[in-house]
Amino acid sequence: MEKTAELILDGKTYKLPIVEGTEQERAIDISSLRNQTGYITLDDGYGNTGSCKSQITFIDGEKGILRYRGIPIEELAEKSTFIEVAHLIIMGKLPNNTELRQFSDLLTQNELLDEAMKHHFEGFPAHAHPMAILSAMINAASCFHPELLTDQFRDSFVVQAARLLAKVRTIAAFAYRKSRGLPAIYPNPDLKYTANFLHMMFSLPNRDYELKPEVVKALDLIFLLHADHEQNCSTATVRMVASSRANLFASAAAGVCALWGPLHGGANQAVLEMLQEIHKAGDDGSRFIAAAKDKNSGKRLMGFGHRVYKNYDPRAKIIKKACDEVLTKLHINDPLLDIAKHLEEAALRDPYFVERKLYPNVDFYSGIIMRAIGIPVEMFTVMFAIGRMPGWIANYKEVMEDPTRIYRPRQIYTGATLNHYSSVKDRK
Ligand code: SDX
């Protein structure tokens, strides 16, 4: 017997179907609401609105649970790698040895950019933000793959996925090198994904970068922890663009733009800048926390709070632990880490944050590790984008495989009622 919800409107009772997910999440299906009642719903920021059904990632915000294809993030962080997790998220299963080798080979085969793309990098000013370059160059890369614009690629989606995943890393590294006036370092086909990225970022033409295992593992963990996260702002953007049947690269480029905002992926850069501001002011964090609680200050405790997590973000716990380990192994004593820890302790005791269930999120500690690795702050959100690419690709695939109608939300109009044109001589 189908479960339904009853809605009483203008004296009439309407029945709306209840949808239940595999983790007992429940929704009222309102797809017939306007036809039945003439009403639509309104939900500022979509805080109560499900845009789709998905089988990729599950989050329980109250319990601080995050699972990729059912596997807890804690297990994957401890036992897996970014590329294994990328296969899990995109293809729906952990790869066996053959699949892992094939996927890894595809990434190697697609790691180079078309040489003509180097001219685009020359066109950017040295101070260009790498997120602008990343979004632009993902679309530029698609121009070298016209098959993206036809249906034929559908039977080789994994090739397009690997192509995008491989090239974003090269684009990111080239953007960094360009910003520092350094020659581009090409990918080394003998290196695995994350090691290759570090090689392209920090090697010199006459001396290879020393790949310390703890550094490679720390960055690989950061990519892995960012790999997907339900219908966050950027993933929802990717699905929106995919629903118009735009190609994978165009959808991912749109995701990069949405991620850039300081309330979303740009928060990791904003956290580091916040910690540096506190450090520079000689503040132990108390003054900043007071400002973050004051609505008129225009300041927020960046890296804190989350639309879904009303408990500790499990990724933040994992990154905080990795922070201590990496900085110890690298013999780095970063005062910003001490400030971050003090901020966390103070906020978690402060009624303002406790009452609003504001906890550290994935962005609060990630920048400390990236800084220790030597990644510049303006590249932090690019690291987030590289990590999130498997999630965007998997969500794009879900939209393409399900004959989804184009996403087209409604609105409630609150503007001028019927009005008429007036000639310029009559206007005030
Ligand atoms: C990511 O969605 C995802 O899954 C995102 C992400 C992913 O993996 O894709 O997890 C990645 O984007 C993490 C979030 C990174 N952003 C930040 O750290 C920026 C700082 N945080 C916030 O701006 C905020 O918490 C958001 C944007 C994360 C969530 O915003 P919401 O859900 O819209 O919450 P809100 O702005 O309505 O805040 C509710 C209350 C408000 O106070 P009141 O009006 O109730 O008095 O909490 C306050 C807010 O002022 N508040 C904060 C705060 N976050 C919320 N006050 C001070 N500092 C903060 N950080």
Side-chain angles (χ1 to χ4, degrees):
M1 168 77 166
E2 183 185 60
K3 290 182 188 169
T4 59
E6 289 195 355
L7 177 66
I8 298 168
L9 268 180
D10 309 329
K12 275 186 76 178
T13 302
Y14 300 90
K15 287 186 183 296
L16 295 166
I18 300 283
V19 174
E20 187 160 330
T22 50
E23 291 290 345
Q24 289 73 53
E25 295 168 303
R26 286 174 296 175
I28 300 168
D29 180 342
I30 58 168
S31 40
S32 65
L33 180 69
R34 191 167 185 274
N35 285 344
Q36 286 192 58
T37 70
Y39 282 69
I40 64 168
T41 58
L42 201 55
D43 182 19
D44 172 38
Y46 302 127
N48 304 280
T49 299
S51 62
C52 63
K53 295 174 187 169
S54 177
Q55 300 183 357
I56 304 167
T57 292
F58 171 67
I59 300 173
D60 182 320
E62 281 66 34
K63 296 178 186 158
I65 289 172
L66 168 58
R67 297 182 197 142
Y68 295 155
R69 301 285 186 181
I71 304 177
I73 192 69
E74 294 80 4
E75 286 182 37
L76 293 168
E78 188 190 334
K79 300 172 183 168
S80 191
T81 66
F82 174 58
I83 291 310
E84 227 190 26
V85 162
H87 189 283
L88 168 68
I89 286 173
I90 295 168
M91 305 310 288
K93 66 186 283 284
L94 283 170
N96 58 35
N97 277 322
T98 306
E99 290 162 336
L100 184 57
R101 195 183 59 254
Q102 286 170 346
F103 193 54
S104 186
D105 289 349
L106 274 175
L107 291 168
T108 302
Q109 289 154 23
N110 287 280
E111 63 191 8
L112 283 168
L113 302 178
D114 188 292
E115 197 62 12
M117 281 184 62
K118 283 186 72 179
H119 300 300
H120 294 287
F121 284 97
E122 294 319 313
F124 291 106
H127 60 270
H129 197 289
M131 285 295 275
I133 298 176
L134 184 64
S135 175
M137 296 302 270
I138 288 173
N139 264 319
S142 72
C143 300
F144 295 88
H145 300 285
E147 73 281 5
L148 268 169
L149 306 183
T150 64
D151 284 354
Q152 71 177 9
F153 87 81
R154 280 212 173 73
D155 56 15
S156 64
F157 184 80
V158 70
V159 173
Q160 296 307 336
R163 179 169 284 155
L164 178 59
L165 205 49
K167 293 186 189 303
V168 286
R169 174 198 45 179
T170 308
I171 292 169
F174 278 26
Y176 167 71
R177 302 291 291 194
K178 153 91 185 137
S179 73
R180 295 304 191 270
L182 292 168
I185 296 291
Y186 284 70
N188 174 343
D190 298 328
L191 293 176
K192 293 289 180 212
Y193 193 88
T194 302
N196 217 346
F197 172 71
L198 289 165
H199 159 66
M200 289 190 276
M201 282 283 286
F202 300 123
S203 287
L204 294 174
N206 54 359
R207 190 180 66 247
D208 275 355
Y209 168 72
E210 183 200 352
L211 288 163
K212 292 179 182 160
E214 60 270 19
V215 170
V216 177
K217 185 167 175 14
L219 185 56
D220 198 77
L221 174 64
I222 284 183
F223 287 153
L224 184 156
L225 292 172
H226 286 80
D228 191 44
H229 213 242
E230 283 193 349
Q231 298 310 311
N232 57 83
C233 178
S234 51
T235 300
T237 300
V238 168
R239 288 186 81 112
M240 172 72 81
V241 175
S243 77
S244 75
R245 293 317 189 236
N247 70 73
L248 173 62
F249 283 53
S251 302
V256 169
C257 296
L259 186 71
W260 194 357
L263 294 188
H264 189 14
N268 56 21
Q269 175 173 345
V271 168
L272 223 292
E273 288 162 353
M274 170 187 78
L275 295 174
Q276 286 171 326
E277 178 193 333
I278 292 170
H279 183 54
K280 198 166 155 219
D283 174 11
D284 66 358
S286 316
R287 291 204 301 273
F288 192 91
I289 282 184
K293 290 157 55 178
D294 171 7
K295 295 280 184 284
N296 302 317
S297 71
K299 295 214 184 274
R300 283 198 160 192
L301 187 55
M302 301 311 277
F304 252 72
H306 200 277
R307 174 64 57 78
V308 175
Y309 289 122
K310 300 309 169 190
N311 199 325
Y312 216 102
D313 182 334
R315 300 167 298 175
K317 266 186 200 160
I318 296 166
I319 291 182
K320 181 181 177 184
K321 181 169 172 283
C323 246
D324 285 327
E325 289 165 3
V326 170
L327 269 64
T328 303
K329 282 183 183 169
L330 295 178
H331 309 297
I332 294 175
N333 179 18
D334 187 348
L336 301 189
L337 178 56
D338 301 331
I339 293 174
K341 286 182 175 176
H342 176 78
L343 282 173
E344 177 190 349
E345 284 158 20
L348 294 185
R349 286 196 307 269
D350 187 309
Y352 173 94
F353 294 91
V354 173
E355 285 157 11
R356 292 168 176 81
K357 298 183 178 175
L358 303 176
Y359 292 88
N361 60 50
V362 68
D363 295 306
F364 193 62
Y365 286 104
S366 57
I368 305 275
I369 292 187
M370 292 192 274
R371 181 172 129 106
I373 290 174
I375 292 168
V377 65
E378 71 273 11
M379 287 287 288
F380 285 4
T381 310
V382 171
M383 298 304 104
F384 192 143
I386 293 173
R388 185 53 51 89
M389 213 47 77
W392 289 343
I393 292 168
N395 276 273
Y396 177 89
K397 186 167 180 282
E398 269 197 343
V399 173
M400 284 304 179
E401 286 172 345
D402 165 17
T404 314
R405 300 168 71 207
I406 189 167
Y407 288 16
R408 203 271 186 222
R410 294 274 181 166
Q411 64 164 28
I412 292 293
Y413 177 69
T414 57
T417 51
L418 181 61
N419 206 340
H420 294 287
Y421 180 81
S422 59
S423 67
V424 67
K425 65 180 177 48
D426 301 329
R427 295 172 204 158
K428 293 183 179 57

mmCIF file of all heavy atoms in Angstrom, residues 59 229 304-311 313 315 357-359 361-362:
data_model
loop_
_atom_site.group_PDB
_atom_site.id
_atom_site.type_symbol
_atom_site.label_atom_id
_atom_site.label_comp_id
_atom_site.label_asym_id
_atom_site.label_seq_id
_atom_site.Cartn_x
_atom_site.Cartn_y
_atom_site.Cartn_z
ATOM 1 N N ILE A 59 24.726 10.823 3.348
ATOM 2 C CA ILE A 59 25.153 11.608 4.519
ATOM 3 C C ILE A 59 24.035 11.575 5.553
ATOM 4 O O ILE A 59 22.860 11.762 5.211
ATOM 5 C CB ILE A 59 25.410 13.084 4.148
ATOM 6 C CG1 ILE A 59 26.505 13.227 3.096
ATOM 7 C CG2 ILE A 59 25.792 13.896 5.387
ATOM 8 C CD1 ILE A 59 26.680 14.654 2.589
ATOM 9 N N HIS A 229 29.844 14.524 -2.229
ATOM 10 C CA HIS A 229 29.159 14.970 -1.000
ATOM 11 C C HIS A 229 27.691 15.300 -1.245
ATOM 12 O O HIS A 229 27.214 16.368 -0.885
ATOM 13 C CB HIS A 229 29.871 16.165 -0.378
ATOM 14 C CG HIS A 229 29.763 16.160 1.118
ATOM 15 N ND1 HIS A 229 29.142 17.150 1.840
ATOM 16 C CD2 HIS A 229 30.190 15.261 2.031
ATOM 17 C CE1 HIS A 229 29.192 16.861 3.123
ATOM 18 N NE2 HIS A 229 29.824 15.730 3.268
ATOM 19 N N PHE A 304 33.579 26.674 9.577
ATOM 20 C CA PHE A 304 32.616 26.205 10.589
ATOM 21 C C PHE A 304 31.208 26.245 10.013
ATOM 22 O O PHE A 304 30.863 27.127 9.225
ATOM 23 C CB PHE A 304 32.690 27.116 11.818
ATOM 24 C CG PHE A 304 33.333 26.480 13.009
ATOM 25 C CD1 PHE A 304 34.703 26.244 13.029
ATOM 26 C CD2 PHE A 304 32.580 26.095 14.109
ATOM 27 C CE1 PHE A 304 35.309 25.641 14.137
ATOM 28 C CE2 PHE A 304 33.173 25.498 15.217
ATOM 29 C CZ PHE A 304 34.541 25.276 15.233
ATOM 30 N N GLY A 305 30.375 25.311 10.440
ATOM 31 C CA GLY A 305 28.976 25.295 10.009
ATOM 32 C C GLY A 305 28.788 24.464 8.760
ATOM 33 O O GLY A 305 29.719 24.267 7.981
ATOM 34 N N HIS A 306 27.567 23.985 8.596
ATOM 35 C CA HIS A 306 27.267 23.166 7.426
ATOM 36 C C HIS A 306 25.759 23.029 7.283
ATOM 37 O O HIS A 306 25.054 22.918 8.289
ATOM 38 C CB HIS A 306 27.882 21.762 7.573
ATOM 39 C CG HIS A 306 28.038 21.062 6.261
ATOM 40 N ND1 HIS A 306 27.005 20.389 5.662
ATOM 41 C CD2 HIS A 306 29.098 20.958 5.431
ATOM 42 C CE1 HIS A 306 27.422 19.882 4.507
ATOM 43 N NE2 HIS A 306 28.681 20.216 4.337
ATOM 44 N N ARG A 307 25.271 23.067 6.048
ATOM 45 C CA ARG A 307 23.837 22.929 5.825
ATOM 46 C C ARG A 307 23.336 21.552 6.285
ATOM 47 O O ARG A 307 22.240 21.439 6.808
ATOM 48 C CB ARG A 307 23.532 23.118 4.321
ATOM 49 C CG ARG A 307 22.087 22.855 3.926
ATOM 50 C CD ARG A 307 21.126 23.832 4.559
ATOM 51 N NE ARG A 307 21.412 25.210 4.261
ATOM 52 C CZ ARG A 307 21.115 25.809 3.118
ATOM 53 N NH1 ARG A 307 20.561 25.119 2.127
ATOM 54 N NH2 ARG A 307 21.371 27.080 2.951
ATOM 55 N N VAL A 308 24.160 20.529 6.103
ATOM 56 C CA VAL A 308 23.680 19.174 6.409
ATOM 57 C C VAL A 308 24.228 18.674 7.745
ATOM 58 O O VAL A 308 23.489 18.202 8.601
ATOM 59 C CB VAL A 308 24.073 18.196 5.265
ATOM 60 C CG1 VAL A 308 23.697 16.761 5.620
ATOM 61 C CG2 VAL A 308 23.421 18.619 3.953
ATOM 62 N N TYR A 309 25.533 18.826 7.964
ATOM 63 C CA TYR A 309 26.093 18.318 9.229
ATOM 64 C C TYR A 309 25.658 19.209 10.397
ATOM 65 O O TYR A 309 25.969 20.401 10.415
ATOM 66 C CB TYR A 309 27.624 18.282 9.176
ATOM 67 C CG TYR A 309 28.172 17.210 8.277
ATOM 68 C CD1 TYR A 309 29.007 17.538 7.224
ATOM 69 C CD2 TYR A 309 27.840 15.866 8.455
ATOM 70 C CE1 TYR A 309 29.504 16.559 6.373
ATOM 71 C CE2 TYR A 309 28.328 14.888 7.615
ATOM 72 C CZ TYR A 309 29.156 15.234 6.572
ATOM 73 O OH TYR A 309 29.651 14.279 5.726
ATOM 74 N N LYS A 310 24.942 18.659 11.301
ATOM 75 C CA LYS A 310 24.636 19.352 12.569
ATOM 76 C C LYS A 310 25.381 18.619 13.676
ATOM 77 O O LYS A 310 24.974 18.583 14.822
ATOM 78 C CB LYS A 310 23.121 19.367 12.800
ATOM 79 C CG LYS A 310 22.354 20.094 11.691
ATOM 80 C CD LYS A 310 22.924 21.485 11.409
ATOM 81 C CE LYS A 310 22.363 22.131 10.153
ATOM 82 N NZ LYS A 310 23.087 23.365 9.758
ATOM 83 N N ASN A 311 26.493 18.020 13.270
ATOM 84 C CA ASN A 311 27.405 17.304 14.137
ATOM 85 C C ASN A 311 28.772 17.511 13.491
ATOM 86 O O ASN A 311 28.873 18.142 12.441
ATOM 87 C CB ASN A 311 27.013 15.809 14.150
ATOM 88 C CG ASN A 311 27.578 15.094 15.345
ATOM 89 O OD1 ASN A 311 28.697 15.411 15.786
ATOM 90 N ND2 ASN A 311 26.833 14.166 15.897
ATOM 91 N N ASP A 313 31.695 17.257 11.152
ATOM 92 C CA ASP A 313 31.931 16.734 9.791
ATOM 93 C C ASP A 313 32.987 15.628 9.901
ATOM 94 O O ASP A 313 34.114 15.903 10.330
ATOM 95 C CB ASP A 313 32.429 17.897 8.915
ATOM 96 C CG ASP A 313 32.655 17.497 7.455
ATOM 97 O OD1 ASP A 313 32.911 16.300 7.192
ATOM 98 O OD2 ASP A 313 32.571 18.377 6.597
ATOM 99 N N ARG A 315 34.829 14.287 7.901
ATOM 100 C CA ARG A 315 36.046 14.575 7.118
ATOM 101 C C ARG A 315 36.971 15.496 7.906
ATOM 102 O O ARG A 315 38.192 15.374 7.835
ATOM 103 C CB ARG A 315 35.646 15.224 5.797
ATOM 104 C CG ARG A 315 34.731 14.370 4.925
ATOM 105 C CD ARG A 315 34.134 15.171 3.802
ATOM 106 N NE ARG A 315 33.299 16.257 4.300
ATOM 107 C CZ ARG A 315 32.733 17.179 3.505
ATOM 108 N NH1 ARG A 315 32.909 17.137 2.190
ATOM 109 N NH2 ARG A 315 32.002 18.143 4.037
ATOM 110 N N LYS A 357 24.433 24.541 16.303
ATOM 111 C CA LYS A 357 25.046 23.278 15.844
ATOM 112 C C LYS A 357 26.092 23.517 14.758
ATOM 113 O O LYS A 357 26.046 22.931 13.669
ATOM 114 C CB LYS A 357 23.970 22.300 15.350
ATOM 115 C CG LYS A 357 22.979 21.909 16.446
ATOM 116 C CD LYS A 357 21.963 20.892 15.980
ATOM 117 C CE LYS A 357 21.017 20.511 17.146
ATOM 118 N NZ LYS A 357 19.929 19.603 16.687
ATOM 119 N N LEU A 358 26.981 24.461 15.076
ATOM 120 C CA LEU A 358 28.054 24.810 14.133
ATOM 121 C C LEU A 358 29.332 24.098 14.544
ATOM 122 O O LEU A 358 29.876 24.339 15.624
ATOM 123 C CB LEU A 358 28.276 26.329 14.117
ATOM 124 C CG LEU A 358 27.038 27.171 13.771
ATOM 125 C CD1 LEU A 358 27.372 28.660 13.885
ATOM 126 C CD2 LEU A 358 26.516 26.849 12.377
ATOM 127 N N TYR A 359 29.797 23.206 13.698
ATOM 128 C CA TYR A 359 31.017 22.429 13.968
ATOM 129 C C TYR A 359 32.023 22.664 12.840
ATOM 130 O O TYR A 359 31.662 23.136 11.759
ATOM 131 C CB TYR A 359 30.672 20.935 14.030
ATOM 132 C CG TYR A 359 29.820 20.528 15.211
ATOM 133 C CD1 TYR A 359 28.422 20.584 15.135
ATOM 134 C CD2 TYR A 359 30.397 20.103 16.392
ATOM 135 C CE1 TYR A 359 27.627 20.220 16.213
ATOM 136 C CE2 TYR A 359 29.612 19.723 17.487
ATOM 137 C CZ TYR A 359 28.234 19.792 17.381
ATOM 138 O OH TYR A 359 27.454 19.433 18.457
ATOM 139 N N ASN A 361 33.960 22.064 9.563
ATOM 140 C CA ASN A 361 33.663 21.274 8.373
ATOM 141 C C ASN A 361 34.954 20.927 7.654
ATOM 142 O O ASN A 361 36.044 21.231 8.140
ATOM 143 C CB ASN A 361 32.684 22.028 7.465
ATOM 144 C CG ASN A 361 33.230 23.373 7.005
ATOM 145 O OD1 ASN A 361 34.359 23.450 6.515
ATOM 146 N ND2 ASN A 361 32.461 24.442 7.193
ATOM 147 N N VAL A 362 34.842 20.336 6.521
ATOM 148 C CA VAL A 362 36.005 19.787 5.791
ATOM 149 C C VAL A 362 37.063 20.855 5.521
ATOM 150 O O VAL A 362 38.246 20.571 5.426
ATOM 151 C CB VAL A 362 35.557 19.136 4.464
ATOM 152 C CG1 VAL A 362 35.055 20.190 3.470
ATOM 153 C CG2 VAL A 362 36.660 18.302 3.855
#
